[in-house]
């Protein structure tokens, strides 16, 4: 359990450092650490599902360099999707102008 939290924290911090202007960049203090751990845990799960279950790469029984790399890749994927969704909700969907598409 503690190993998973440490892996989540490390993967979350590295993943957040790799993605500029993420949706959580303005957070400070304990909330920022909590978001990093949660992103790391979710990213580790996503990386595990993609690489170990989906592609058959890696093993199930140990935290190793491959596990950390797949967790970081998972964090980046989760962070990009979360940033897209949060920005979309925050700013709303772009409005289409009527008549401009056909040259009116």
């Amino acid at each position: 359990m503690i190993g998973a939290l440490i892996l989540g924290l490390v993967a979350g911090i590295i993943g957040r450092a790799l993605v500029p202007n993420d949706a959580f960049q303005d957070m400070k203090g304990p909330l920022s650490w909590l978001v990093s751990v949660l992103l790391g845990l979710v990213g580790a799960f996503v990386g595990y599902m993609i690489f170990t279950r989906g592609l058959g790469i890696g093993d199930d029984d140990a935290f190793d360099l491959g596990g950390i790399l797949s967790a970081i890749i998972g964090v980046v994927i989760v962070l990009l999707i979360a940033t897209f969704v949060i920005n979309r909700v925050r700013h709303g969907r772009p409005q289409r102008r009527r008549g401009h598409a056909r040259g009116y």
Side-chain angles (χ1 to χ4, degrees), residues 60-73:
D60 293 344
D61 59 346
F63 291 116
D64 55 2
L65 183 60
I68 292 173
L69 289 176
S70 68
I72 292 170
I73 293 169

Side-chain angles (χ1 to χ4, degrees), residues 13-99:
I13 289 171
I14 293 172
R16 287 186 67 191
L18 291 174
V19 178
N21 301 324
D22 66 88
F24 308 106
Q25 71 181 357
D26 295 330
M27 291 185 180
K28 304 281 187 241
L31 186 60
S32 178
W33 289 96
L34 180 65
V35 167
S36 293
V37 169
L38 291 175
L39 282 170
L41 292 174
V42 172
F45 180 72
V46 169
Y48 172 79
M49 294 303 288
I50 290 172
F51 292 104
T52 303
R53 293 290 180 194
L55 299 175
I57 301 170
D59 55 7
D60 293 344
D61 59 346
F63 291 116
D64 55 2
L65 183 60
I68 292 173
L69 289 176
S70 68
I72 292 170
I73 293 169
V75 169
V76 169
I77 292 169
V78 168
L79 198 53
L80 290 173
I81 291 170
T83 300
F84 175 77
V85 169
I86 289 171
N87 285 339
R88 186 89 179 211
V89 168
R90 202 179 278 165
H91 300 296
R93 295 183 179 204
Q95 297 292 324
R96 288 184 141 176
R97 294 183 185 184
R98 290 188 172 178

